[in-house]
Amino acid sequence: MATFPMTEPEIEVIELPGETMTVECRDARSFFVLLEDGASCEFAFYDYPERSLTGITKMKVEGRIVVNGKECFEIAACDWEPNEGESPPSHWYLSLEGNQLHWVRFVWRKKDGVGRSEEIDATPLPTILFVGLKTEGHETYVCGDEKRGDFITRTEVTGVAEVRIGEKRFRCLREVWTNFERDGSSLKLAELFISEQGRTVLFRRYNGRGSHNYEQLKGNPELNFNGEVYRLWYDCIPDHAVE
């Protein structure tokens, strides 16, 4: 198991205006694990404003399986929270096709009660990234006749940045994800920093005015993006960015 500090390392993001690069993302983006047979990783959650360690997730590619006609990586995810121990493993099913990452199925379990298997109807993400790349699509989780989500989604690679996490330095592309309710209410924003080696080294989660805890996040760092103000909720840092 990786050793993560109980308080988040110092993080600095330095924008590099005018610079450009092209990166092939080799991992599962916000899940950090390489999309390779047998690959594994851990990542830590640090909540704001305290920036204290609140959980660790362990990801492992257990193999490949065909789901809905797509050959998928079967990825086990185990969460650990302080004083609570590991949760039962959930599984994500992700497919790579033609330089696109497809989210296909999510099977999640509870410590108590009944879990759920959901088919994911979502616009795929490109794996070849460059400054100025934009996508627009949707995201819905479906279980029988029930739907969860049904969001409008957008991504944009906004530029190059140097990311400093503790003593480590990474030259990265900054990719921004946003999603909205169908009525246009902003829900959440995520910043992902993907290194020139194709690894995601930092994920920052912000919430917008349509989120349930937007007011509770008042006082946290804010990000103005395309005219919407988002408030930082937590950071995720993988083991390969701190070890």
Side-chain angles (χ1 to χ4, degrees), residues 44-77:
F45 288 79
Y46 292 96
D47 285 13
Y48 278 68
E50 293 85 0
R51 298 175 53 239
S52 57
L53 178 68
T54 54
I56 295 172
T57 295
K58 298 187 293 186
M59 310 292 294
K60 182 174 176 58
V61 179
E62 295 186 329
R64 301 194 198 190
I65 186 170
V66 176
V67 179
N68 296 336
K70 295 182 182 295
E71 182 181 290
C72 297
F73 293 95
E74 185 175 34
I75 305 173

Side-chain angles (χ1 to χ4, degrees), residues 8-16 48 51 160-172 174 191 193 201-202 204 206 232 235 237 241:
E8 182 179 57
E10 291 300 319
I11 294 176
E12 186 177 11
V13 176
I14 302 169
E15 295 183 4
L16 302 174
Y48 278 68
R51 298 175 53 239
V160 181
E162 180 177 300
V163 178
R164 301 178 180 179
I165 302 174
E167 299 299 318
K168 303 194 77 169
R169 306 286 186 270
F170 306 91
R171 187 169 180 263
C172 298
R174 175 183 182 252
E191 285 184 298
F193 294 89
V201 299
L202 175 65
R204 315 197 89 168
Y206 298 75
L232 183 58
D235 290 338
I237 304 175

Side-chain angles (χ1 to χ4, degrees), residues 213-232:
N213 64 344
Y214 185 70
E215 290 304 318
Q216 298 171 25
L217 301 177
K218 188 173 183 179
N220 286 1
E222 294 185 342
L223 176 65
N224 191 316
F225 187 75
N226 290 339
E228 291 282 354
V229 176
Y230 298 85
R231 294 171 178 168
L232 183 58

Side-chain angles (χ1 to χ4, degrees), residues 13-129:
V13 176
I14 302 169
E15 295 183 4
L16 302 174
E19 294 200 20
T20 187
M21 64 178 180
T22 298
V23 170
E24 181 177 4
C25 186
R26 300 163 48 226
D27 62 25
R29 297 289 225 281
S30 55
F31 290 159
F32 300 102
V33 68
L34 282 169
L35 293 174
E36 298 177 355
D37 292 337
S40 63
C41 80
E42 298 178 4
F43 61 92
F45 288 79
Y46 292 96
D47 285 13
Y48 278 68
E50 293 85 0
R51 298 175 53 239
S52 57
L53 178 68
T54 54
I56 295 172
T57 295
K58 298 187 293 186
M59 310 292 294
K60 182 174 176 58
V61 179
E62 295 186 329
R64 301 194 198 190
I65 186 170
V66 176
V67 179
N68 296 336
K70 295 182 182 295
E71 182 181 290
C72 297
F73 293 95
E74 185 175 34
I75 305 173
C78 291
D79 299 320
W80 173 88
E81 295 181 10
N83 303 318
E84 290 193 13
E86 287 188 11
S87 64
S90 295
H91 285 81
W92 293 86
Y93 297 84
L94 278 58
S95 175
L96 284 176
E97 291 185 354
N99 296 324
Q100 290 188 319
L101 176 62
H102 296 257
W103 302 73
V104 179
R105 178 178 289 172
F106 176 38
V107 180
W108 57 271
R109 292 176 171 82
K110 297 180 178 181
K111 289 183 179 179
D112 300 301
V114 179
R116 190 178 179 93
S117 177
E118 298 177 320
E119 305 304 303
I120 305 174
D121 177 14
T123 302
L125 294 172
T127 58
I128 306 298
L129 307 176

